[in-house]
Every structure is written in structure tokens, then in C-alpha cells.
Amino acid sequence: MSYPTLIFTPGEPAGIGPDLILKVAQQPLEAAVVVCADKNMLRERAELLNLPVTFHKYEKGQKVPKHEAGHLWVEHLPVCEPVTAGELTVANGHYVVDCLKRASDGNLAGEFDAIVTGPVHKGVINQAGVAFSGHTEFLAHEADCNDVVMMLATEGLRVALVTTHIPLAYVSKAITKERLTNILTILHNDLTNKFGEVQPKILVCGLNPHAGESGHLGHEEIDTIAPVIETLNAGGMNLHGPYPADTIFQPKYLDDASAVVAMYHDQGLPVLKYKGFGQAVNITLGLPYIRTSVDHGTALDLAGTGNINDGSCRLAIQTAIDMANASYYE
């Protein structure tokens, strides 16, 4: 039976990304896993954590066996400066981006079936002279995608975003009919093609309190959101809304819904993270390949301690496996 091949980028080397993959590697997985990282850094971190790992060298195009507990296949990309757990080094911002680019290139070429990413430190990457606002935006640029969708998922809830890492003052202008149409189309298509759902039911939040209160609290719902929903439904989608964001997150709406669409980052994600922080996964939709990620940051104070929760990393890997398998059999 065939199995997918994933590439894992641990992200910030001084954070818990390396710890996560070393810990997850202690159990078998229904996929081949290649780690794009500095092999010496990984070996030093494994020794610090007292985790038994046998490292294997990965060469481009090599067929990797299904993951066995205690083994890791590594494509070695050297760090720019030596790494100490918990201590940021600006020079390694370039290394983090190099790992992401290698993973992106490999997926675009069909070498891998999915990318799973560990947490990065955006500040250090920018201090290193690399303009970087997040994984989502970077991978979209590398894949030459005009629009992608950030979706976070946990048990019983998926939340997709129309806008991501922009100031709140810019959100209203960013929600155009064109952008909303693209986001909803990508979400519908990927829920169908990458998750195997038939006619996914998508709930759409309004932008304003009470979804605009019939225009008394804003007109974005009347002028933009509702017309887009109507047009796309006429084309065969199953969209509902716009709903007030303060009432949509309850079982009577969510029980039979495939996803909720929030207009901006902090409209939907606080609810999802309250419900499932540490057991959630970040998924980028609209890329020509599968990308999942952990739902948390670098946790520098926990790096090298062994006192970490690897639940989100395990879920990110399993979600990538499930999506890859669904893509195979669509």
C-alpha cells in the first residue's frame, strides 16, 4: 500500500520546533517523513532531551521508507550560527527561510506530498533582513498564488480567514467582492478535493457587530458579503450568512457545518484557540500542495527542557497524512 511523503521544517532552531519532531519521531507514522534542518543541531538537541534517534541522510529524489519509531531522515541544511536552545540568533533567520524555500520547491516539483511546519520567530527573520510576515504569505509567494486561505482546525471546529496578518484598520478595505469570492471558492474547492467532503456547508461571519444590524452598524454585509454569498450559491456552493460573529460559535450552527469563515484574524481564532489550543492545526488552502502547521509559537523558554506538549505537531502531521490520502483517492 502506498503512503505519502512529508517534509517537516522545524522552524526557529532555538525554539521547540526541533524538540517537537524529535519527540514525535518516537512513534511510528503512516507516512515517510523527511526533516529539512541542520543534522548536527538535531543530534545535539536529541542528546539534550535524552531521546534515542538514529539519523539517516536524505538525498533529493530518494525513496524514503515509512517512518519507524526512533528514526529520522534528514536533508542537512547548515545553520548560519551555532544554536543554543532558548537563545535567538539573528543570523539564523536566513537559515529558517532557506529551509522553507527548500520544502516549498520540493513540493512544487512533486518530490513531497505535503509540508508540515514548526513555529518560526518572525521578528528574528525580519531582523536578519528578510521581509517575512508569516508562513502563509511566504509560501503563497513562492508558489506564485495570488490568494491562499489560512484555516485553523480543532475537534469539531474549522475557522478560515478572509484577511490574516494586517492591521485592524485595513480590514474593511481589504474585504472586496473579488477577494471574498476567491477565498470562499478556494475553501469550497479544498474542502472538496483535499478533505473529501461532498457539498461542504460553509458559515460566513459578518464584519460588523450584529452583522451590521441591517446597515445601522456598517454596510459591508449589505454591499459586499451578502451579494458574494448569493452569487456563489447560485453557482452551486452551500454558503450561509452573514452571521453575527458573537452568536455563530454555538452547536446549533456548528454541528453540521464544514467550516466558519471569519473576516479577520482575531474575529474567529480566539474562539478556536480557546476550544482547542495545543490540539489544533493550521492549514494553508489554495496552494498547489498540502501545508499544515502547529498552532503555537516557538516557546523559547521550553526549548531543550522536554516539558512540551506535542499534540498540535502530531495533529499537523496526521492532518497532512489524511489530506494526502484524500487527494490520492478523490
Side-chain angles (χ1 to χ4, degrees):
M1 182 177 179
S2 63
Y3 51 86
T5 300
L6 317 181
I7 184 165
F8 184 92
T9 58
E12 169 53 50
I16 64 170
D19 307 44
L20 290 170
I21 191 59
L22 291 167
K23 188 173 180 180
V24 170
Q26 303 305 306
Q27 301 295 327
L29 296 168
E30 291 300 312
V33 179
V34 175
V35 182
C36 184
D38 185 301
K39 64 181 180 183
N40 299 315
M41 178 271 296
L42 288 175
R43 184 175 289 110
E44 291 169 2
R45 192 68 58 87
E47 292 173 357
L48 179 64
L49 296 169
N50 196 29
L51 291 174
V53 179
T54 299
F55 294 98
H56 305 273
K57 180 180 179 181
Y58 173 77
E59 295 183 354
K60 187 175 181 180
Q62 180 180 0
K63 177 65 175 176
V64 176
K66 188 162 62 174
H67 175 75
E68 297 181 17
H71 293 260
L72 273 181
W73 293 80
V74 180
E75 175 158 344
H76 175 62
L77 266 71
V79 293
C80 302
E81 296 287 346
V83 176
T84 300
E87 298 181 12
L88 293 172
T89 302
V90 170
N92 283 332
H94 291 281
Y95 156 81
V96 173
V97 173
D98 288 345
C99 289
L100 288 175
K101 180 168 176 50
R102 168 65 182 103
S104 176
D105 290 346
N107 273 262
L108 289 170
E111 183 181 359
F112 307 108
D113 298 300
I115 297 175
V116 181
T117 59
V120 298
H121 193 288
K122 298 173 190 174
V124 162
I125 296 173
N126 281 279
Q127 288 174 40
V130 180
F132 186 90
S133 59
H135 277 111
T136 303
E137 296 83 357
F138 177 84
L139 295 174
H141 178 267
E142 291 296 305
D144 196 24
C145 293
N146 292 327
D147 281 312
V148 293
V149 178
M150 176 188 289
M151 183 175 78
L152 270 75
T154 189
E155 182 68 31
L157 180 62
R158 298 179 183 136
V159 176
L161 304 178
V162 177
T163 62
T164 54
H165 302 124
I166 63 173
L168 190 58
Y170 301 164
V171 169
S172 179
K173 292 182 179 179
I175 300 173
T176 62
K177 287 184 179 181
E178 180 183 11
R179 177 168 181 77
L180 184 57
T181 297
N182 290 343
I183 296 299
L184 291 172
T185 301
I186 290 169
L187 177 60
H188 170 85
N189 289 342
D190 275 14
L191 286 173
T192 302
N193 298 326
K194 292 181 179 177
F195 287 86
E197 296 204 9
V198 178
Q199 194 65 1
K201 181 179 179 181
I202 298 169
L203 310 183
V204 183
C205 293
L207 171 64
N208 298 293
H210 300 178
E213 193 89 29
S214 300
H216 296 289
L217 297 177
H219 284 264
E220 287 84 356
E221 289 78 12
I222 295 171
D223 296 339
T224 303
I225 301 172
V228 169
I229 291 173
E230 182 178 356
T231 298
L232 293 178
N233 280 342
M237 292 191 194
N238 185 19
L239 309 174
H240 300 259
Y243 292 106
D246 67 340
T247 58
I248 196 173
F249 293 100
Q250 52 181 307
K252 73 175 184 177
Y253 295 112
L254 299 177
D255 281 349
D256 63 345
S258 300
V260 176
V261 176
M263 292 296 122
Y264 57 94
H265 188 279
D266 283 13
Q267 184 183 53
L269 295 193
V271 179
L272 185 135
K273 291 190 176 185
Y274 176 77
K275 177 177 172 59
F277 190 77
Q279 295 295 329
V281 56
N282 187 340
I283 306 163
T284 304
L285 306 179
L287 293 169
Y289 53 79
I290 294 163
R291 181 259 170 167
T292 67
S293 182
V294 297
D295 71 340
H296 54 74
T298 54
L300 293 166
D301 58 323
L302 299 179
T305 69
N307 184 28
I308 60 171
N309 181 348
D310 64 351
S312 180
C313 185
R314 290 183 181 278
L315 182 59
I317 291 173
Q318 188 58 53
T319 300
I321 294 170
D322 293 343
M323 291 175 68
N325 287 334
S327 297
Y328 289 152
Y329 298 113
E330 65 176 275

